[in-house]
Amino acid sequence: MIPTELDPGLSLKSDGDGPVKTFPVVCVGGSAGGLDAYTRLLRHLPADMGVAIVIVNHVRNVDTLLHEILPRFTVMPVELITERLDILPNRVFIIPSQRDLHVLDGEFRLQPVSKPRGWPDVITVFLRSLTAHWDGNLIAVIVSGYDGDGAEALRGIKEVGGVTIAQKPDTATQPDMPESAIASGWIDFVLSPEEIAGKIVEIAATAARAKKR
């Protein structure tokens, strides 16, 4: 039986197979100095925006502790991503170390890191997976970090109608990553972490209004 009402973040697939997730996903990519940006961002995000926040921190050999630290700065549940974890709104998800992150059928999928040497490209990998396999709005945020991970995937985010944001370099502990994103030519907004939070709230509200029409 076809449901008469759907969650605001769900829609029916054209082939009638059932609901597909259409709520926005926000990818926040960073590395060195990222913790400062993540905490400043989360402090200013409400818990009921209807979006999923995915923090993709590109560390190499050190296990992440973000899932233990970040709950101090948000009332949203914070989860370390595991294989086939359901992607849900109003939650913060953390990539585990030494894994590439993908999405498929509304779930997270983990693979061994495809670039074990040199600077990781886990942000780029995840953003490309989102452009191919997520039906809702996409917001790509690049914050403090070394190297330029994520910059190569920003064009794809724009091509599917997503929004791209870089942390204002003078507010970043390590400006390399946001500067590389800006240099790509595919960034919509250059903002401080607090301003990024405001922009996410604005985009989420616009997406929610559009679904009600």
Side-chain angles (χ1 to χ4, degrees):
M1 182 173 65
I2 298 176
T4 56
E5 294 186 7
L6 289 171
D7 182 280
L10 300 176
S11 66
L12 286 178
K13 291 183 179 179
S14 59
D15 59 7
D17 284 344
V20 60
K21 296 173 183 176
T22 59
F23 54 83
V25 168
V26 180
C27 170
V28 184
S31 65
L35 179 60
D36 174 70
Y38 306 147
T39 57
R40 290 166 63 187
L41 174 65
L42 290 177
R43 277 177 169 151
H44 291 83
L45 288 177
D48 58 352
M49 295 182 297
V51 309
I53 308 291
V54 185
I55 294 180
V56 183
N57 197 54
H58 86 175
V59 297
R60 281 178 282 186
N61 300 318
V62 179
D63 288 342
T64 184
L65 296 176
L66 290 177
H67 58 297
E68 299 177 5
I69 297 171
L70 294 182
R72 306 171 199 167
F73 303 94
T74 178
V75 297
M76 288 184 279
V78 179
E79 298 183 62
L80 184 66
I81 295 168
T82 54
E83 177 66 7
R84 300 186 74 99
L85 180 66
D86 200 20
I87 305 173
L88 298 171
N90 302 323
R91 284 167 170 75
V92 179
F93 298 98
I94 310 295
I95 188 175
S97 59
Q98 288 297 299
R99 292 291 185 271
D100 279 347
L101 182 61
H102 301 263
V103 297
L104 189 65
D105 298 330
E107 300 172 333
F108 290 111
R109 303 296 174 90
L110 295 171
Q111 297 288 336
V113 67
S114 56
K115 190 180 177 186
R117 295 181 178 83
W119 291 108
D121 60 356
V122 291
I123 302 168
T124 296
V125 168
F126 181 59
L127 290 177
R128 286 176 172 163
S129 183
L130 283 174
T131 62
H133 300 292
W134 191 258
D135 292 287
N137 292 358
L138 299 178
I139 305 170
V141 180
I142 305 297
V143 300
S144 178
Y146 288 114
D147 194 47
D149 191 8
E152 292 183 4
L154 295 174
R155 177 175 179 173
I157 295 293
K158 292 297 300 169
E159 287 176 345
V160 298
V163 176
T164 56
I165 305 172
Q167 182 177 358
K168 193 178 294 184
D170 63 7
T171 71
T173 303
Q174 176 47 251
D176 286 5
M177 195 176 291
E179 286 177 345
S180 294
I182 295 165
S184 76
W186 295 102
I187 286 292
D188 293 313
F189 303 101
V190 180
L191 305 168
S192 69
E194 293 79 10
E195 292 168 332
I196 293 170
K199 182 59 65 174
I200 292 171
V201 171
E202 177 186 320
I203 295 168
T206 300
R209 287 194 297 269
K211 290 182 186 301
K212 292 178 180 178
R213 292 174 186 165

